[in-house]
């Protein structure tokens, strides 16, 4: 019987790559984002401060970002089989272990550090490299579909985690989440990774290395000298800060505003569902109309969503919650595929994954600072409104490069 790698056509393999990237984004990021559902149970059981509990998520985002360049090197050197296997083993084992934890530092290590490294290995760093090899004419659209896995994870996994917590407690919830992730391991081991890494067989396209290759830091150092690199880093950093200063506290904020925990988790999940639509269409819209108008429209939605949080803090109502979910959700993650595509086009070659991983690290640093700042501002002021104000300023700083830097604000593509 012939092996799978000889029976699949290029078109079938391209769809398989897209499915792999979507599925691992959904599983990895969805499980990581469940931490927002664990905030109240952990605070109730251990009495930790809000900033202390939020710091776990900050460490997760820091580990996610700072490990991204190394994940890029690992991918360029050893390929996707090693990267995805490493991610599943680290993150799955950490979450199974989390069900036994009792100290804050233990959560820092297993959920923060190990979880962050795991999601980095499962997320958009390997996905961007694989997709750019298989979707050269419509890269933004394909990356947008892969990014939609984040929203699908929020939609499906976060409410599921909340259900597990309500049903059997947070410890059982961690056991189940870790076990689900580890169940992907046998599938990863049998995938035709050598053929997948080689990319689409296009005689006019440059040949990408398939086996082990020597890597140099020179391409990354050269990227540091470009305006495009720092413009993309600014976009990712301030976007992540703006989103995560809000996102980590969303469920707790809604519960304290009078909504039930399940209603709050469902709203969080619905925002994730809408992000599937927003992320998927953002890549297509950028391919058709250009990055600047598309990105600007998404930031307008994010800004208005934060305004609605101010409204909810004074006048909790179902209509204001629905509008927040619609506007904030539709734009959540929508900048990701556009930045990924610009990075792939601006920095082609064998170091592409390493360079994007470094840009991605800036996003995670912003997210980590946003997550910690949200808890700190709440502890200092007793309200979420100061965090909302910081988020709005960050939105403005995030969109600025698309209006000031020609290096990333490409004109509308020709038909």
């Amino acid at each position: 019987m012939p092996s799978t790698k000889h029976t699949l056509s290029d078109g079938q393999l391209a769809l398989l790559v897209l499915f792999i990237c979507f599925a691992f984004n959904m599983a990895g990021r969805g499980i990581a984002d469940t931490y927002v559902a664990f905030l109240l149970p952990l605070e109730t059981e251990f009495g930790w401060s809000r900033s202390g509990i939020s710091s776990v998520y900050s460490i997760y985002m820091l580990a996610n970002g700072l490990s991204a360049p190394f994940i890029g090197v690992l991918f360029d050197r050893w390929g996707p089989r090693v990267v995805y296997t490493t991610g599943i083993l680290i993150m799955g084992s950490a979450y199974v272990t989390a069900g036994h934890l009792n100290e804050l530092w233990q959560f820092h290590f297993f959920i923060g550090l190990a979880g962050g490294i795991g999601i980095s290995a499962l997320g958009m760093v390997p996905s961007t490299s694989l997709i750019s090899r298989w979707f050269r004419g419509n890269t933004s659209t394909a990356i947008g579909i892969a990014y939609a896995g984040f929203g699908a994870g929020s939609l499906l996994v976060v409410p599921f985690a909340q259900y597990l917590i309500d049903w059997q407690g947070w410890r059982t919830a961690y056991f189940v989440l870790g076990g689900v992730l580890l169940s992907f391991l046998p599938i990863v081991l049998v995938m035709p990774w050598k053929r997948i890494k080689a990319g689409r067989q296009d005689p006019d396209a440059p040949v990408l290395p398939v086996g082990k290759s020597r890597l140099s830091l020179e391409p990354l150092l050269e990227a540091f000298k470009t305006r495009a690199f720092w413009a993309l880093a600014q976009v990712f950093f301030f976007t992540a800060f703006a989103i995560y200063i809000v996102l980590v506290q969303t469920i707790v904020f809604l519960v304290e505003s009078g909504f039930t925990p399940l209603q709050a988790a469902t709203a969080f999940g619905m925002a994730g569902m809408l992000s599937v639509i927003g992320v998927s269409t953002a890549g297509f819209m950028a391919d058709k109309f250009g990055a600047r108008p598309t990105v600007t429209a998404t930031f307008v939605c994010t800004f208005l969503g934060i305004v609605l949080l101010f409204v909810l803090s004074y006048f909790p109502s179902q209509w204001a919650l629905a509008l927040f979910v619609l506007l904030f959700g539709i734009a959540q993650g929508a900048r990701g595929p556009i930045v990924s595509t610009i990075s792939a086009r601006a920095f082609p070659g064998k170091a592409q994954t390493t360079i994007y991983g470094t840009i991605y690290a800036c996003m995670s640093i912003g997210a980590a600072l946003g997550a910690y700042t949200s808890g700190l501002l709440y502890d200092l002021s007793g309200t979420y409104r100061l965090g909302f104000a910081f988020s709005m300023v960050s939105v403005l700083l995030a969109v600025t490069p698309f209006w000031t830097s020609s290096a990333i604000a490409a004109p509308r593509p020709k038909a």
Side-chain angles (χ1 to χ4, degrees):
M1 180 177 177
S3 63
T4 303
K5 64 181 179 181
H6 295 304
T7 59
L8 294 179
S9 67
D10 273 4
Q12 291 171 324
L13 278 171
L15 291 177
L16 176 61
V17 166
L18 195 58
F19 174 78
I20 290 170
C21 295
F22 179 92
F24 279 120
N25 280 337
M26 180 178 70
R29 183 62 174 271
I31 290 175
D33 278 353
T34 60
Y35 190 69
V36 299
F38 287 88
L39 285 175
L40 280 178
L42 294 178
E43 184 179 36
T44 300
E45 179 160 341
F46 298 110
W48 297 328
S49 69
R50 191 68 57 81
S51 58
I53 298 175
S54 298
S55 68
V56 174
Y57 200 87
S58 296
I59 291 176
Y60 148 67
M61 292 305 303
L62 277 176
N64 180 15
L66 296 180
S67 65
F70 300 100
I71 294 298
V73 171
L74 187 67
F75 182 96
D76 289 334
R77 181 77 174 90
W78 295 100
R81 186 194 304 274
V82 171
V83 169
Y84 283 126
T85 300
T86 300
I88 289 174
L89 286 175
I90 291 176
M91 190 173 183
S93 300
Y95 271 67
V96 169
T97 305
H100 299 286
L101 305 184
N102 293 292
E103 303 290 337
L104 185 59
W105 71 265
Q106 296 172 334
F107 283 89
H108 285 153
F109 182 82
F110 287 99
I111 300 301
L113 181 60
I117 295 172
I119 186 56
S120 182
L122 298 175
M124 283 307 300
V125 174
S127 292
T128 298
S129 182
L130 289 177
I131 288 173
S132 67
R133 299 169 190 226
W134 287 94
F135 297 88
R136 296 191 177 98
N138 51 354
T139 310
S140 292
T141 302
I143 288 179
I145 294 172
Y147 254 101
F150 291 165
S154 296
L155 171 65
L156 299 175
V157 184
V158 174
F160 175 64
Q162 184 66 60
Y163 170 77
L164 290 174
I165 292 170
D166 292 342
W167 179 44
Q168 291 291 330
W170 65 269
R171 294 184 185 274
T172 298
Y174 270 131
F175 293 147
V176 173
L177 293 173
V180 168
L181 193 55
L182 289 172
S183 69
F184 283 96
L185 187 58
I187 301 174
V188 170
L189 294 177
V190 300
M191 299 298 294
W193 292 114
K194 185 176 181 180
R195 177 70 187 91
I196 288 174
K197 186 184 178 185
R200 185 179 290 275
Q201 300 303 294
D202 184 351
D204 298 324
V207 177
L208 293 170
V210 178
K212 304 181 185 79
S213 59
R214 284 188 176 182
L215 292 176
S216 169
L217 289 177
E218 185 176 353
L220 180 60
L221 296 177
E222 289 299 316
F224 286 161
K225 300 176 183 179
T226 66
R227 173 59 181 145
F229 178 91
W230 294 109
L232 293 175
Q234 178 179 338
V235 173
F236 256 180
F237 177 88
F238 284 106
T239 300
F241 187 89
I243 296 299
Y244 282 90
I245 202 172
V246 170
L247 203 62
V248 176
Q249 303 290 342
T250 297
I251 290 181
V252 180
F253 165 71
L254 292 176
V255 170
E256 293 182 356
S257 296
F259 300 95
T260 68
L262 190 56
Q263 283 177 323
T266 302
F268 188 95
M270 288 298 294
M273 181 191 71
L274 289 170
S275 77
V276 174
I277 300 172
V279 170
S280 301
T281 57
F284 170 78
M285 296 298 287
D287 282 338
K288 187 173 180 60
F289 300 110
R292 177 187 290 171
T294 303
V295 167
T296 302
T298 67
F299 277 121
V300 169
C301 289
T302 299
F303 192 90
L304 292 176
I306 300 168
V307 170
L308 284 163
L309 288 178
F310 273 106
V311 175
L312 280 166
S313 70
Y314 289 103
F315 309 105
S317 66
Q318 292 289 345
W319 71 264
L321 177 60
L323 282 177
F324 161 73
V325 168
L326 175 63
L327 292 171
F328 195 85
I330 202 74
Q332 186 178 321
R335 281 71 54 161
I338 299 173
V339 172
S340 300
T341 303
I342 295 173
S343 175
R345 291 173 179 170
F347 308 106
K350 65 181 182 180
Q352 176 193 112
T353 317
T354 303
I355 294 171
Y356 175 73
T358 307
I359 295 172
Y360 186 89
C362 297
M363 181 193 71
S364 294
I365 293 171
L369 290 175
Y372 181 74
T373 301
S374 67
L376 180 63
L377 291 176
Y378 180 83
D379 286 342
L380 292 174
S381 66
T383 179
Y384 299 97
R385 297 183 190 117
L386 192 56
F388 299 157
F390 271 74
S391 180
M392 295 170 74
V393 172
S394 296
V395 168
L396 299 178
L397 293 172
V399 74
T400 298
F402 283 95
W403 290 93
T404 60
S405 174
S406 59
I408 67 171
R412 174 177 170 175
K414 296 180 180 179

